[in-house]
Amino acid sequence: MTQPIRSVLVANRGEIALRVFRTCRRLGIETIALYTDLDVSAPHVKAADRAIRMSSYLDIDEVVAAAVEADADAVHPGYGFLSERAPFARALAQAGVRLVGPSADVMDAMGRKDAAREIAVAADVPVVPSYALTDDPETFAYPVLVKAAAGGGGKGMRVVTSAADFAEAAAAAAREAAKSFGDDTLLVEKYVESGRHLEVQILGDTHGNVIHLYERDCSTQRRHQKVLEEAPGPTIDADLRQRLTSAAVSLAKQVGYVNAGTVEFLLDNATGDFYFLEMNTRLQVEHPVTEAITGGFDLVEEQLRITAGEPLSIGSGELGIHGHAIEARVYAEDSFGGFLPQAGVATFVRWPRGDGIRVDAALRTGQEVSTAYDPMLGKVIAHGATREDARRRLIAALDQTDIAGLTTNTGFLRALLATDEFAEATIDTAWLDHHEVAAPEPDGARALAAYALAPDSAGDPDPWRADGWRSGAPAAATLVDLDQLIEVRRDSLDSRPARILGRGRDAGGHHLAVEVNGERHEGRVRDLGATVEVLHRGQRFIFERPDAFGDHAAAVSDGTLLAPMPGTVLAVHVVEGEAVASGQTLGVLEAMKMELALKAPYHGVVAAVGAAPGEQVKLGAMLFEVSES
């Protein structure tokens, strides 16, 4: 029996709320948003037909009460927050509100890795060899992976390489699991040192139909957090695809799965074997790449159809694979500065457009990015006839992504996509943990700043001083009014170092293209007074004018540990006067779901402790000072 859906409340925020609203609007379904005080002016609030204030997105009773008050026919949970919480699903069912997702019983079964593992075995799906937590760590074949039995997203995971490190790693994983999922139960499994993370999108309806929509490859990840995702898998042949997708469908049928879900596998590069990892009982962040290669098939629309009691609109294999798609997750983080989360006001935002480009984002000009929520700002997706077409389109799209006012990982994503390893699909799940992606060179950004800000001389846009060169030997060329901003060596440049190709100005500052030594550089320049901000190839550069150095205080000593990001002090392990060893953890800081251990720079004595557990600290706050012994 079908029950039409007339209104949908999205129990989420940001880009996923906008994504669901987009489909609802096309289908003529009323949209209802939730918001907290921090999100009063957020884009998802403005986009909804109605909005309801909440104290927290995580309060089950409050969210269910809002759905009842709004007389919503269904609640879409998005991802994160309450999306895989069985108590939330049960509370909605008891209130007579439909959840766009599986039942609470299925969430219980598949939301826990230990229970899901047993179901996979029953469905004859291969699982990773494991150990009991009570076994003697000395008997394990290292490396092993300690991971939370509840939840996912890389939380509560630690790779352990020796028995000596096992107890500390298990304690850290349990602490993180308890905080993230309210459950510190752990599993211990063989750690596949070189593997590919593959996942299969499945759909199940209330009529017993279960289909797959092919696989995605999410191997490009850092510390179990996905960075780039693509579909189909670039290394998957027809035989492996058939075995993977069949295993995913078997598992879904075994558990009686209804709605959209994802079955995740790990492919061992050494053996060619694949193992079941977990099942995500929700829509995935990376679902747009599946939509792209299936001809624009709308997974959210299908979720709503299933929730209304309708059968699947397609059969297995009907859509086929059309081209290749790659998604890049844009985060507020300093990827070339330790991947630390960033916060601030996005003073200018421009997302890319073009053929084969899709953007799912909720960040707008003037919006404040805080540490209260996940640092993902949006997703840029490129689709092309081949993987190389998609890769090149995504690089070009990231070049056109301008976010000023705070640092993002866009430049890192662009540089990563340009590596030979990604182009050749040789990156495995551990590659980013052991390799550095080279930071963009600043020369192009300097040239852009030069042409944007230097005054014209007799109508000549060339910003280089005519008398800045000395003959006979390499000499420095300096900019008018920007003496220490741009400095390049004559022996590294052609006779004419650069020329302007085009320029303009809008709300985002100067936008121009220049050519340096035959290479085109395009970007945006914002004159901030004491500093100059340049957005070039996705990377944000900040240059200081010479007069900005006048009042700077002396640099702090190496023994002073400052907060590298705004956040919460989770723990303080030392007191003033305590002797510490080099590398010893003094305390732990958390921001945007990331923990950072603050360690002693050398052997010494703690001279000062600047914060207490639970205290909120600002960027640059003094946390510890160590005097060298």
Side-chain angles (χ1 to χ4, degrees), residues 224-309:
H224 311 294
Q225 295 290 335
K226 298 168 185 175
V227 178
L228 298 170
E229 301 105 347
E230 56 186 310
T235 63
I236 306 305
D237 59 25
D239 175 67
L240 180 55
R241 175 170 295 121
Q242 192 278 329
R243 289 188 288 127
L244 273 172
T245 54
S246 295
V249 170
S250 295
L251 182 69
K253 288 182 175 179
Q254 179 72 30
V255 76
Y257 197 86
V258 172
N259 218 273
T262 303
V263 184
E264 302 199 355
F265 299 95
L266 180 64
L267 176 69
D268 189 338
N269 286 335
T271 65
D273 297 326
F274 68 85
Y275 305 109
F276 167 72
L277 285 178
E278 63 181 348
M279 185 174 192
N280 291 289
T281 55
R282 54 171 169 79
L283 195 67
Q284 291 278 87
V285 173
E286 56 272 23
H287 76 273
V289 295
T290 294
E291 294 182 327
I293 68 161
T294 53
F297 183 74
D298 191 329
L299 282 167
V300 173
E301 179 179 355
E302 203 69 11
Q303 283 190 291
L304 296 173
R305 287 176 53 90
I306 294 168
T307 304

Side-chain angles (χ1 to χ4, degrees), residues 41-63:
S41 301
H44 79 278
V45 178
K46 297 177 181 179
D49 296 317
R50 289 188 281 156
I52 301 173
R53 181 189 172 280
M54 311 291 292
S55 62
S56 170
Y57 294 106
L58 299 175
D59 190 317
I60 291 176
D61 292 338
E62 195 175 11
V63 174

Side-chain angles (χ1 to χ4, degrees), residues 201-554:
Q201 176 71 59
I202 62 99
L203 288 170
D205 63 22
T206 56
H207 302 269
N209 302 307
V210 178
I211 65 169
H212 70 82
L213 278 79
Y214 309 104
E215 80 285 347
R216 299 186 286 256
D217 188 314
C218 306
S219 302
T220 308
Q221 54 186 251
R222 178 182 173 274
R223 297 183 179 177
H224 311 294
Q225 295 290 335
K226 298 168 185 175
V227 178
L228 298 170
E229 301 105 347
E230 56 186 310
T235 63
I236 306 305
D237 59 25
D239 175 67
L240 180 55
R241 175 170 295 121
Q242 192 278 329
R243 289 188 288 127
L244 273 172
T245 54
S246 295
V249 170
S250 295
L251 182 69
K253 288 182 175 179
Q254 179 72 30
V255 76
Y257 197 86
V258 172
N259 218 273
T262 303
V263 184
E264 302 199 355
F265 299 95
L266 180 64
L267 176 69
D268 189 338
N269 286 335
T271 65
D273 297 326
F274 68 85
Y275 305 109
F276 167 72
L277 285 178
E278 63 181 348
M279 185 174 192
N280 291 289
T281 55
R282 54 171 169 79
L283 195 67
Q284 291 278 87
V285 173
E286 56 272 23
H287 76 273
V289 295
T290 294
E291 294 182 327
I293 68 161
T294 53
F297 183 74
D298 191 329
L299 282 167
V300 173
E301 179 179 355
E302 203 69 11
Q303 283 190 291
L304 296 173
R305 287 176 53 90
I306 294 168
T307 304
E310 299 177 29
L312 295 174
S313 65
I314 56 167
S316 187
E318 283 187 19
L319 294 173
I321 297 176
H322 306 278
H324 199 97
I326 308 174
E327 173 180 286
R329 300 187 182 198
V330 178
Y331 283 91
E333 70 176 17
D334 185 359
S335 305
F336 297 113
F339 293 91
L340 298 180
Q342 301 294 295
V345 175
T347 53
F348 179 78
V349 177
R350 185 193 70 166
W351 294 101
R353 297 178 180 179
D355 291 341
I357 299 300
R358 167 177 167 178
V359 174
D360 284 9
L363 186 69
R364 305 288 187 266
T365 296
Q367 191 172 333
E368 182 173 359
V369 176
S370 76
T371 59
Y373 301 116
D374 187 274
M376 191 173 75
L377 304 175
K379 305 173 303 194
V380 181
I381 305 99
H383 178 243
T386 67
R387 184 175 187 267
E388 182 61 11
D389 289 340
R391 186 183 74 91
R392 290 182 179 276
R393 278 184 174 175
L394 187 51
I395 288 174
L398 293 174
D399 282 346
Q400 298 163 18
T401 302
D402 293 332
I403 301 176
L406 72 156
T407 298
T408 73
N409 69 334
T410 315
F412 170 79
L413 294 169
R414 197 251 189 223
L416 177 59
L417 284 160
T419 62
D420 292 339
E421 289 83 358
F422 186 84
E424 297 166 6
T426 59
I427 289 179
D428 62 15
T429 55
W431 191 85
L432 274 175
D433 294 331
H434 303 292
H435 296 80
E436 287 190 3
V437 175
E441 294 293 335
D443 289 349
R446 287 178 174 143
L448 289 167
Y451 277 106
L453 301 182
D456 291 351
S457 175
D460 183 359
D462 188 349
W464 306 96
R465 284 185 193 268
D467 59 357
W469 303 104
R470 294 198 308 270
S471 60
T478 57
L479 272 175
V480 176
D481 294 336
L482 296 171
D483 290 340
Q484 294 182 23
L485 173 61
I486 309 293
E487 187 171 311
V488 292
R489 303 297 298 183
R490 185 176 183 179
D491 58 353
S492 69
L493 300 170
D494 291 338
S495 57
R496 180 176 176 84
R499 66 188 182 93
I500 195 162
L501 301 176
R503 67 189 304 160
R505 189 168 186 175
D506 57 23
H510 302 268
H511 180 259
L512 68 164
V514 300
E515 184 181 280
V516 180
N517 290 339
E519 184 177 3
R520 179 186 175 93
H521 296 271
E522 185 174 353
R524 189 173 296 276
V525 181
R526 293 167 62 85
D527 187 353
L528 305 179
T531 60
V532 178
E533 181 181 38
V534 182
L535 305 176
H536 175 237
R537 292 183 176 174
Q539 187 66 16
R540 177 175 178 249
F541 296 87
I542 298 293
F543 299 113
E544 291 185 292
R545 293 184 186 276
D547 59 2
F549 291 96
D551 298 325
H552 278 195

